[in-house]
Amino acid sequence: MSKFYLTTPLYYVNANPHIGHAYTNIIADSMARYKRAKNKEAFFLTGTDEHGEKIKQAAVANNCEAKAFVNKGAENFKKLWTKLDISYDSFIRTTDDCHIKVVSEVISTLKEKGDIYKDKYKAFYCVPCESFWTGPQVKEADGCPECKRKVEEIEEENYFFKLSKYEQWLKDFLKANPSFVMPKIRYNEVLGFLNNNSLEDLCISRPKKRVSWGIDFPLDDNYVVYVWFDALINYISGVGYSLNNDNFKKLWPADIHFIGKDILRHHTIFWPIMLKALDIEPPKRVFAHGWWKKDEKKISKSRGNIVNPLELIKNLSLSLAGNEDAAVNGFRYFLLREVPVGLDGSFSWDALVNRINSDLANDLGNLVFRTLNMVEKYLGSEVSSQTTPPKEFEGCLDNLANNYTTHMDGVEFSLALEEVFAFIRVINKYIEDTKPWVLWKEKKIKEIGEFLYQLCEGIRIVALYLYPIMPKASESIYRQLGVENKSFSLAESSWGKVLSFLINKEAPLFPRIDVD
Ligand code: MSP
């Protein structure tokens, strides 16, 4: 079985998780489930970023010791991942001993190689971004070039990593590997940046007198490690990095790092260069998704327009007759269906409700409910008259088999879902055109049996394809159809893999939400 190692960013624990964080983990979870369905051994790493001044300040503001504060923060994220059905394999925290050890080793190795030196430094510092800004274009009055918040001018001695030494290597690497950064627009952004700027060496230490909460800098007791340098290393420490570690040898290079577009440079410039300097292969791909916005603004703590996913799920459940699984699946579906992953999306309650009502309650939910009803009413819950798919299904089934995996492999969830829903609509139309109630009146029991087998088998295939995005909904469909093999392996996607169904109806998958 071949492996597939995928990661998410480590989330800062200074604030509660919001919809943007949920988005990255839902993307990664759907990809992990899809790869497992394709019989790959997926390893999905997520976690929390727990060092730095921003976290320390938040702990102080909450009247809390830093360690107790980050413990609580990490728990908040884990709680959300459980609620959202995120099937991660490991959760790394930058305060974990095994991570701290690897960070120290990395710095010592880079020092031995001559890639770290000490120098005087003058720059503007943005605490919320944990980033230094230099150069004539940065002015204190204008604030941080990234987030526009206040910056402070700082002059101090620090340790530097020789990014500049590897600039040409990175340019050559990117040119030779155009699919290293996806989507294409982000690849062009990185190349454009490298063509218009020469790389400055990266300041990787912070004096303890200014930043006290961090990993001790192994070369000097007066310093801690810069948070970004610390956090990026999680992608190797999280799978047991040391050159002879079997797990590391098996899993590295990562197959995909999922990130948001705001942290592109850290992952496509700093990170591959750090690995190159350590003689470690670069990851195969960095995929940068867009932002969720509200009223045209990025959703973030500092803008105060947070959408809290736990509250959202609670409210959505209330609107869905208390069905929390429907709320979680509806939320996951909305985020992946509404916009292509590389673009920005606009979040609103109305858009969420419309999607759930039209696609999930109407098209999918009704199809399942009325099919199961008919099997109960006409056949006493059992279907076993196997038959080939009707000609109406054929084109759609072929499209699904051909295009679904291409879209999923290309991180095109919305297109993959469109294909599945095209099939759902075809099945619904087949019901209307066949008019089973007429067959029933005419006592055509054999035809009804064959027709209902076709519906049940069609729905089973739909559930299989939907599983990576809406796992609980697919599990429910399988239970209701009485499907025994619950592996959700795509090897089961061909017609006729299940020969009989024993119906066990549950509450509707997605009740319709009232819109006033
Ligand atoms: N701690 C760093 C990452 C270190 S990885 C070695 C960090 N953390 S973060 O909590 O601020 O953001 C984590 C991720 O959430 C980023 O990928 C970011 O793009 C994503 N999102 C934050 N707000 C977002 C939206 N409004 N919409 C979509 N995703 C956004 O950066």
Side-chain angles (χ1 to χ4, degrees):
M1 206 192 265
S2 60
K3 66 90 189 178
F4 191 88
Y5 173 32
L6 70 169
T7 69
T8 71
L10 298 192
Y11 303 102
Y12 288 128
V13 289
N14 58 314
N16 283 330
H18 64 67
I19 185 177
H21 306 137
Y23 185 47
T24 323
N25 269 36
I26 289 171
I27 290 171
D29 181 64
S30 299
M31 186 54 79
R33 288 176 187 273
Y34 162 69
K35 293 290 175 184
R36 291 181 196 123
K38 266 183 73 178
N39 208 22
K40 295 232 177 201
E41 196 180 333
F43 187 84
F44 170 9
L45 180 71
T46 189
T48 38
D49 197 346
E50 304 186 1
H51 290 127
E53 205 39 30
K54 177 158 76 172
I55 311 279
K56 183 70 192 286
Q57 285 177 0
V60 170
N62 280 277
N63 260 333
C64 214
E65 286 289 330
K67 186 66 191 153
F69 180 74
V70 297
N71 285 346
K72 193 165 164 273
E75 278 317 306
N76 283 342
F77 278 93
K78 284 187 178 169
K79 229 187 268 167
L80 177 62
W81 304 150
T82 305
K83 180 72 82 190
L84 294 179
D85 251 330
I86 304 297
S87 62
Y88 61 86
D89 295 289
S90 189
F91 190 98
I92 184 162
R93 302 176 52 185
T94 53
T95 52
D96 286 342
D97 287 343
C98 56
H99 171 75
I100 292 172
K101 190 165 161 272
V102 174
V103 172
S104 296
E105 280 168 13
V106 163
I107 289 177
S108 304
T109 308
L110 294 177
K111 173 73 182 157
E112 274 163 34
K113 289 199 147 184
D115 282 347
I116 289 182
Y117 64 94
K118 195 174 186 187
D119 202 2
K120 229 198 183 81
Y121 192 54
K122 195 170 173 186
F124 292 106
Y125 193 63
C126 172
V127 173
C129 290
E130 299 281 11
S131 291
F132 273 120
W133 299 99
T134 52
Q137 71 278 26
V138 185
K139 294 193 189 68
E140 190 164 8
D142 296 342
C144 168
E146 185 81 38
C147 71
K148 308 286 172 240
R149 281 169 285 192
K150 196 170 152 273
V151 286
E152 356 171 352
E153 189 166 33
I154 281 170
E155 186 174 357
E156 59 197 22
E157 276 209 302
N158 265 313
Y159 288 87
F160 290 82
F161 169 53
K162 288 187 184 165
L163 272 193
S164 56
K165 177 175 154 189
Y166 297 94
E167 179 171 343
Q168 194 52 49
W169 168 80
L170 183 64
K171 283 181 175 164
D172 295 342
F173 170 76
L174 286 170
K175 279 188 191 126
N177 296 281
S179 60
F180 175 67
V181 185
M182 277 182 67
K184 194 83 193 152
I185 180 182
R186 300 295 157 223
Y187 174 76
N188 291 337
E189 184 181 326
V190 181
L191 270 193
F193 177 82
L194 287 170
N195 289 335
N196 295 327
N197 299 273
S198 46
L199 280 188
E200 288 181 21
D201 291 341
L202 182 66
C203 176
I204 58 165
S205 66
R206 298 289 181 264
K208 280 187 183 163
K209 61 178 180 340
R210 191 164 61 75
V211 179
S212 56
W213 179 241
I215 297 180
D216 284 337
F217 201 78
L219 313 174
D220 191 328
D221 281 349
N222 297 313
Y223 293 85
V224 294
V225 179
Y226 168 44
V227 279
W228 266 103
F229 199 81
D230 159 357
L232 285 165
I233 292 171
N234 91 87
Y235 300 129
I236 56 172
S237 69
V239 286
Y241 169 65
S242 76
L243 287 178
N244 295 319
N245 180 293
D246 285 340
N247 198 43
F248 179 71
K249 280 197 278 186
K250 178 173 136 194
L251 291 173
W252 194 261
D255 291 84
I256 196 161
H257 291 317
F258 284 112
I259 60 164
K261 64 180 184 179
D262 48 333
I263 53 177
L264 186 69
R265 272 186 231 168
H266 307 79
H267 285 81
T268 55
I269 296 179
F270 303 168
W271 182 228
I273 290 184
M274 286 162 70
L275 291 166
K276 173 69 185 164
L278 290 165
D279 285 326
I280 301 175
E281 244 184 279
K284 289 192 191 152
R285 179 161 299 166
V286 176
F287 192 105
H289 64 68
W291 285 338
W292 280 96
K293 297 184 171 181
K294 230 175 131 191
D295 308 323
E296 292 307 304
K297 293 200 179 77
K298 183 187 177 213
I299 294 173
S300 71
K301 179 174 180 258
S302 58
R303 289 181 183 83
N305 60 352
I306 291 286
V307 177
N308 177 327
L310 286 176
E311 271 171 31
L312 185 83
I313 296 295
K314 207 163 123 202
N315 291 335
L316 201 51
S317 297
L318 289 176
S319 306
L320 287 160
N323 186 337
E324 192 177 284
D325 286 349
V328 170
N329 283 291
F331 179 57
R332 289 175 61 117
Y333 175 78
F334 171 79
L335 293 182
L336 298 194
R337 175 66 186 85
E338 195 70 3
V339 281
V341 177
L343 303 182
D344 291 348
S346 171
F347 183 82
S348 74
W349 175 261
D350 290 351
L352 175 68
V353 168
N354 280 342
R355 266 285 164 211
I356 293 179
N357 277 348
S358 69
D359 297 7
L360 301 182
N362 267 7
D363 294 349
L364 173 65
N366 274 347
L367 168 64
V368 173
F369 197 71
R370 63 178 171 162
T371 299
L372 301 184
N373 257 344
M374 284 191 279
V375 178
E376 278 184 351
K377 182 171 167 203
Y378 300 150
L379 302 175
S381 296
E382 240 179 294
V383 188
S384 52
S385 333
Q386 312 127 27
T387 180
T388 48
K391 62 175 184 337
E392 289 84 343
F393 287 11
E394 277 165 7
C396 238
L397 276 172
D398 287 348
N399 282 347
L400 259 178
N402 294 332
N403 302 339
Y404 176 85
T405 50
T406 311
H407 290 318
M408 291 296 279
D409 285 326
V411 200
E412 296 167 331
F413 295 109
S414 56
L415 294 181
L417 286 167
E418 252 176 50
E419 296 278 353
V420 183
F421 275 78
F423 183 42
I424 292 173
R425 283 191 294 274
V426 164
I427 310 180
N428 274 326
K429 181 162 186 308
Y430 182 55
I431 300 179
E432 300 306 320
D433 294 347
T434 309
K435 300 189 178 46
W437 48 93
V438 176
L439 297 179
W440 177 247
K441 249 194 212 154
E442 295 169 355
K443 305 256 179 308
K444 292 188 172 155
I445 299 300
K446 182 167 170 286
E447 282 87 341
I448 290 186
E450 287 178 352
F451 166 74
L452 288 177
Y453 172 79
Q454 289 167 330
L455 298 193
C456 290
E457 183 61 350
I459 291 172
R460 178 191 71 83
I461 292 172
V462 162
L464 188 63
Y465 283 120
L466 289 179
Y467 174 76
I469 288 105
M470 297 194 286
K472 282 269 160 60
S474 294
E475 282 164 6
S476 166
I477 294 176
Y478 266 37
R479 271 196 315 274
Q480 299 192 57
L481 287 174
V483 177
E484 271 162 25
N485 179 348
K486 298 202 170 56
S487 67
F488 294 100
S489 155
L490 282 173
E492 300 290 310
S493 61
S494 46
W495 187 270
K497 279 280 177 186
V498 172
L499 300 177
S500 59
F501 299 92
L502 181 60
I503 302 310
N504 187 4
K505 215 162 80 227
E506 298 175 2
L509 278 178
F510 294 98
R512 216 188 137 69
I513 301 174
D514 284 336
V515 188
D516 36 44

